[in-house]
Amino acid sequence: MTTTWVGVSVPRKEDRRLLTGRGRFVADMSRPRMLHAVFVRSPHPSAAITAITADDAVKAPGVAAVLTSADLGHPYLLATLERDEFVPTRMPVLAGDRVRFAGEPVALVLADDAYRAEDAAELVAVEWAELPPGTPVHDEAPDNCLVDLQMFDDPAVPGIIKSAPVVITARCASARVAALPLEGRACLAEWDDRDEQLVLHVSTQVPHQVRSGVAQALGLPERLIRVIAPDVGGGFGLKCVVGREEVAVAAAAFRLRRPVQWIEDRQENLTASFHGHEQRYAVTAAFAADGELLALDADIECDTGAYSVFPFTCAVEPLMAATELPGIYVVPAYRARGRAIASHKPPTAPYRGVSRPQIVLVMERLMEKAAARLGLDPLDVRRRNMITTFPFTGVNGITYDEGSYRESLDLAEERTSQWRTERAELRAQGLLAGIGLSCFSERTAYGTPTMSQRRMRMTPGYDTALVRMDPTGEVVVTTGTCGHGQGHETTFAQIVAGRLGVDPGQVRLRQGDTDLAAYGWGTWGSRSVVIGGGAAAKAAGVVADQLRGVAAVLLEASPADIELDGGVARVRGDADAGVPVAELARIAHFQAHRLPVDLRYGLQAAASFDPPGTFSNACHVAMVVIDPGTLSVALRRYLVVEDCGVVINPLIVDGQVRGGVTQGMAAALFERLCYDEAGQPLSATLMDYLAPTAAELCDIEVIHLQTPSAHSETGAKGMGEGGMIGGPAAVLNAINDALSSDVDQIPALPWDLL
Ligand code: MCN
């Protein structure tokens, strides 16, 4: 049996450097003659710019330049959907004649240190003419609607609703939130004369899309730009779009031929980067007397802020929500309208979960409400409606691959039976205790077959990996995916090591560099293990065949009889006949003449992978205790039964689940970005924006079921967002259980619970 590293909790290779302060983040980098960039930002949510005067700022100590939109030639980012219902709008790199949210960048100050740049930014005089309330965000969309999609429109729906025994209507909402990565956005751009390249070090999840965005905005060929993502301190979707600041910094370095660095501060991160999840749902669901869901009608509004993000566009949330709302339930008749509404707030990016925390919340609230109205057990109502035969093609046209929807619910119910006793005891003591549950699937690894349905001009999906073994038998893997906290250096090494019969310690992942990797789509949408890992597995399989070929020559055996394991190539069934893999590598490189032509010239292979996507699933159960005096909610117990197919590294998967649940419960209980009536941000610091701490958490127990995916090279399904997707609904259902309430929006703040 070949040793497999799949399923082993290999400690994260990256943690030694990260935990000992030896990581390399953009802010750790410095260059001779480097300029520090600070942006002059709009204090107004909606105003015309009538003049910008930088005379005083330019004369300030240490200032090298002040650049405006006009200085840069009015560059912009444009993300487009090829749909008539979509209104394309430009996002200027620096606002030129008009600002559309408070915090929008209007000028770039470059100085020899960041403090001088900050001081000089205050000297830039901008003349504003505030626009009257009600002025459309974009002239192209007088009603502020940037996309209006009637995604599904079964004409039978109104009739079914009219004659159904039970009709449930609900208005669910989720607040605008911040992804809040530990490291904000950051970039350092420098012109490299020797390579004739603009090298851009960016804290990003999508290096190739940053390259495309900069190239398109500045009218440069992509070859002229190299984007490198060094260590990235989290992104959660905020960094899977291209920041206009990144383009501005690139333009400044290109123009001045001096290195330019920009480090976003926390206030900018909260008020001027990308937000997520501000959505409103008006849903009507028809149920039969036995709890069967008969029809669903949904009207979905996503407040997507002032601009369409590059490359996803502002349609990403409404499209996802309207398409995937039915989730794990059989919905026989469906209507869904999804709209992206522009507002005078920062644009939204695809923050972790992308609409799925909201659609799961909607469906799980509907199940609870239907059960309450019909006097049925809410778990039985879920079971009555769950998809149980696979593959299943839903009314939304989505084909769901094999999952364990029913099994995960059954197991969760069994494992939490004691919680019900505990809840009764707590209630007997006069405490407000409640248990809530959410069942859901998480579509992951969206390849081009799926993404093309969105009709983006830039359609993401595939990825390519290159696996190379060097003459000492060590392996380097390059990939277009770009981990930023998920432990890819470890899990990709496990996948590749298993195929090559070597130790994961011998496999080094190189990612986040557009000059190293073929065009790829970065890390988001829980795509990396399936798509990047799948490409790496395929390429490693080819290199393994090459190794078997070389071994077969040396051992005078058939390649089919060669096993690679423990760093040695052996003839199956013959314990004595073996050659170390390192020796095969040496011969393949240094003694090529001894090998047949097709085995000469090194050990390497590239492979691409582009699956249709696969669905993981999970059931979350939360138990809360609510203080009757203050109505503050404390999480007491949390269980996740999750199925992401073959688990490559249980330690990492558990960490991903726990991190996601933390964000999910924070969205349910604390987090919201507030704006006043005029559009001024009120959550500009971490004193106002309540991020969770360890004190707000309880232990999160994780149990794995493993239903392998047929669409994945390794059988793994993605899972990086699941914790966030299931968390809000489970916590909100627990609160409603504790208070016998019917709250449908998150966060559920104490005053909402009165
Ligand atoms: N994994 C595994 N076995 C599986 C599935 C996953 O061992 N069956 C491992 C993978 O190998 C990988 C990790 O779990 O190391 C997550 O894998 P995957 O589900 O493929 O998700 P991605 O790596 O593509 O990560 C994206 C996902 C998303 S969309 C967001 S948002 C998010 C998240 O990951 N942002 C994160 N997790 C994050 N974790 C950190 N620390 N920081 C972020 O910004």
Side-chain angles (χ1 to χ4, degrees):
M1 263 292 282
T2 306
T3 309
T4 169
W5 292 97
V6 168
V8 181
S9 285
V10 174
R12 289 175 28 125
K13 289 165 74 134
E14 41 275 89
D15 284 355
R16 177 178 289 271
R17 75 165 185 281
L18 295 175
L19 294 175
T20 55
R22 295 195 188 126
R24 187 168 65 236
F25 296 87
V26 173
D28 295 322
M29 299 176 184
S30 185
R31 297 286 186 268
R33 298 182 68 241
M34 186 171 87
L35 295 170
H36 297 258
V38 165
F39 287 90
V40 177
R41 296 186 181 275
S42 167
H44 301 292
S46 173
I49 300 170
T50 49
I52 303 179
T53 315
D55 297 354
D56 293 344
V58 173
K59 285 185 223 137
V63 172
V66 177
L67 300 173
T68 62
S69 178
D71 295 326
L72 299 179
H74 299 296
Y76 59 87
L77 287 162
L78 177 64
T80 308
L81 284 193
E82 287 164 341
R83 287 178 183 266
D84 292 342
E85 309 94 325
F86 180 77
V87 182
T89 49
R90 293 174 174 187
M91 177 157 71
V93 168
L94 295 171
D97 55 356
R98 206 185 142 177
V99 288
R100 295 179 171 85
F101 67 89
E104 184 159 3
V106 292
L108 177 59
V109 178
L110 299 150
D112 56 11
D113 89 30
Y115 301 98
R116 287 171 144 184
E118 191 96 42
D119 289 343
E122 289 179 11
L123 302 175
V124 176
V126 185
E127 277 176 31
W128 309 98
E130 279 190 75
L131 295 169
T135 306
V137 181
H138 294 277
D139 297 341
E140 303 90 311
D143 57 355
N144 285 333
C145 184
L146 295 182
V147 72
D148 185 349
L149 296 161
Q150 188 69 48
M151 295 289 291
F152 303 94
D153 198 7
D154 185 338
V157 168
I160 298 173
I161 289 174
K162 206 163 169 207
S163 59
V166 170
V167 175
I168 309 282
T169 57
R171 287 186 172 274
C172 299
S174 61
R176 175 170 279 255
V177 288
L180 219 64
L182 215 51
E183 181 203 24
R185 294 178 300 154
C187 56
L188 190 168
E190 54 189 334
W191 176 254
D192 182 325
D193 262 317
R194 183 183 173 278
D195 291 340
E196 278 204 320
Q197 261 189 333
L198 185 63
V199 183
L200 194 53
H201 307 265
V202 192
S203 184
T204 183
Q205 303 170 223
V206 288
H208 280 97
Q209 285 66 62
V210 173
R211 190 180 80 182
S212 298
V214 172
Q216 289 175 28
L218 303 185
L220 300 173
E222 294 219 8
R223 178 200 67 72
L224 221 63
I225 303 158
R226 177 179 186 181
V227 176
I228 301 172
D231 282 320
V232 176
F236 307 108
L238 183 149
K239 297 175 187 169
C240 77
V241 294
V242 180
R244 53 213 298 196
E245 291 86 349
E246 293 151 18
V247 184
V249 164
F254 186 63
R255 196 186 160 89
L256 302 175
R257 293 292 199 267
R258 282 182 71 174
V260 177
Q261 187 185 56
W262 172 65
I263 308 292
E264 181 181 66
D265 67 25
R266 190 54 67 185
Q267 185 178 325
E268 287 177 303
N269 181 259
L270 283 166
T271 60
S273 64
F274 301 99
H275 296 158
H277 293 188
E278 184 173 358
Q279 302 189 359
R280 294 175 285 275
Y281 290 71
V283 285
T284 306
F287 285 88
D290 66 352
E292 182 190 0
L293 178 56
L294 303 172
L296 181 62
D297 192 354
D299 192 273
I300 303 161
E301 254 184 44
C302 303
D303 181 328
T304 52
Y307 294 103
S308 247
V309 286
F310 183 93
F312 290 96
T313 79
C314 63
V316 57
E317 285 198 351
L319 265 168
M320 187 95 131
T323 310
E324 299 192 15
L325 178 63
I328 58 167
Y329 299 111
V330 179
V331 176
Y334 184 43
R335 270 174 37 150
R337 178 186 188 192
R339 275 175 292 170
I341 309 295
S343 66
H344 291 293
K345 297 176 206 162
T348 54
Y351 173 37
R352 198 174 198 173
V354 197
S355 296
R356 287 160 301 171
Q358 290 72 31
I359 61 181
V360 170
L361 186 124
V362 169
M363 294 308 286
E364 297 303 288
R365 290 300 302 136
L366 286 177
M367 293 296 145
E368 292 288 328
K369 286 169 194 278
R373 185 84 76 79
L374 292 163
L376 298 172
D377 178 342
L379 303 199
D380 288 341
V381 174
R382 288 175 171 86
R383 288 188 182 101
R384 175 74 188 79
N385 292 296
M386 257 177 197
I387 299 167
T388 47
T389 50
F390 301 96
F392 175 86
T393 300
V395 69
N396 49 3
I398 294 177
T399 299
Y400 299 78
D401 61 345
E402 201 79 27
S404 56
Y405 305 170
R406 174 75 192 255
E407 293 83 342
S408 55
L409 172 58
D410 292 347
L411 185 57
E413 185 183 24
E414 184 196 315
R415 290 297 181 99
T416 53
S417 60
Q418 279 305 315
W419 295 18
R420 279 168 258 281
T421 315
E422 190 180 343
R423 177 179 59 185
E425 287 164 7
L426 290 164
R427 286 180 175 174
Q429 294 163 28
L431 291 168
L432 299 166
I435 298 173
L437 178 136
S438 69
C439 300
F440 64 94
S441 64
E442 173 188 3
R443 194 184 203 177
T444 72
Y446 296 77
T448 54
T450 306
M451 290 307 279
S452 56
Q453 289 164 17
R454 293 198 186 164
R455 298 191 232 154
M456 293 162 67
R457 186 165 291 165
M458 285 174 68
T459 299
Y462 59 89
D463 245 291
T464 303
L466 173 67
V467 173
R468 258 178 304 173
M469 184 173 274
D470 72 17
T472 55
E474 299 280 305
V475 183
V476 175
V477 181
T478 58
T479 171
T481 54
C482 184
H484 46 280
Q486 294 87 349
H488 291 176
E489 290 171 41
T490 309
T491 46
F492 278 52
Q494 286 177 255
I495 292 170
V496 169
R499 304 266 160 147
L500 297 176
V502 299
D503 188 273
Q506 291 173 260
V507 183
R508 178 89 183 93
L509 183 71
R510 301 294 307 275
Q511 53 182 342
D513 186 334
T514 55
D515 267 17
L516 277 184
Y519 200 93
W521 293 93
T523 287
W524 44 270
S526 304
R527 65 189 302 275
S528 305
V529 73
V530 177
I531 302 183
K538 278 175 76 179
V542 177
V543 175
D545 286 342
Q546 294 168 352
L547 284 170
R548 282 191 205 95
V550 176
V553 172
L554 299 182
L555 296 168
E556 296 179 353
S558 157
D561 291 333
I562 303 291
E563 269 179 0
L564 300 168
D565 193 19
V568 178
R570 283 201 179 79
V571 180
R572 190 171 291 117
D574 181 349
D576 299 330
V579 191
V581 167
E583 177 62 3
L584 299 178
R586 188 187 70 80
I587 289 169
H589 288 90
F590 299 156
Q591 300 271 295
H593 57 280
R594 289 170 58 188
L595 301 173
V597 171
D598 60 335
L599 287 174
R600 289 182 193 173
Y601 320 125
L603 298 163
Q604 68 170 33
S608 300
F609 197 52
D610 189 13
T614 171
F615 288 81
S616 344
N617 64 272
C619 178
H620 286 204
V621 196
M623 184 174 187
V624 299
V625 178
I626 302 177
D627 183 317
T630 63
L631 290 178
S632 97
V633 181
L635 212 54
R636 187 177 178 91
R637 297 195 183 283
Y638 207 102
L639 171 77
V640 175
V641 178
E642 76 88 42
D643 186 344
C644 60
V646 172
V647 176
I648 307 295
N649 185 321
L651 181 81
I652 286 180
V653 168
D654 289 359
Q656 286 290 310
V657 171
R658 294 193 173 108
V661 168
T662 305
Q663 286 179 307
M665 76 89 180
L669 296 179
F670 309 115
E671 294 188 4
R672 59 173 188 163
L673 288 159
C674 297
Y675 282 79
D676 73 9
E677 293 274 294
Q680 286 294 341
L682 302 176
S683 322
T685 74
L686 291 177
M687 291 293 282
D688 321 301
Y689 187 78
L690 298 185
T693 70
E696 279 78 50
L697 282 169
C698 63
D699 279 347
I700 299 165
E701 189 190 349
V702 186
I703 299 173
H704 303 281
L705 298 174
Q706 299 198 44
T707 309
S709 167
H711 300 303
S712 165
E713 273 290 306
T714 55
K717 303 171 175 186
M719 50 67 57
E721 294 158 280
M724 171 84 207
I725 293 171
V731 173
L732 189 63
N733 278 338
I735 293 171
N736 282 321
D737 179 51
L739 300 175
S740 302
S741 52
D742 199 16
V743 175
D744 289 330
Q745 90 277 349
I746 53 170
L749 298 165
W751 45 90
D752 299 322
L753 304 178
L754 284 172

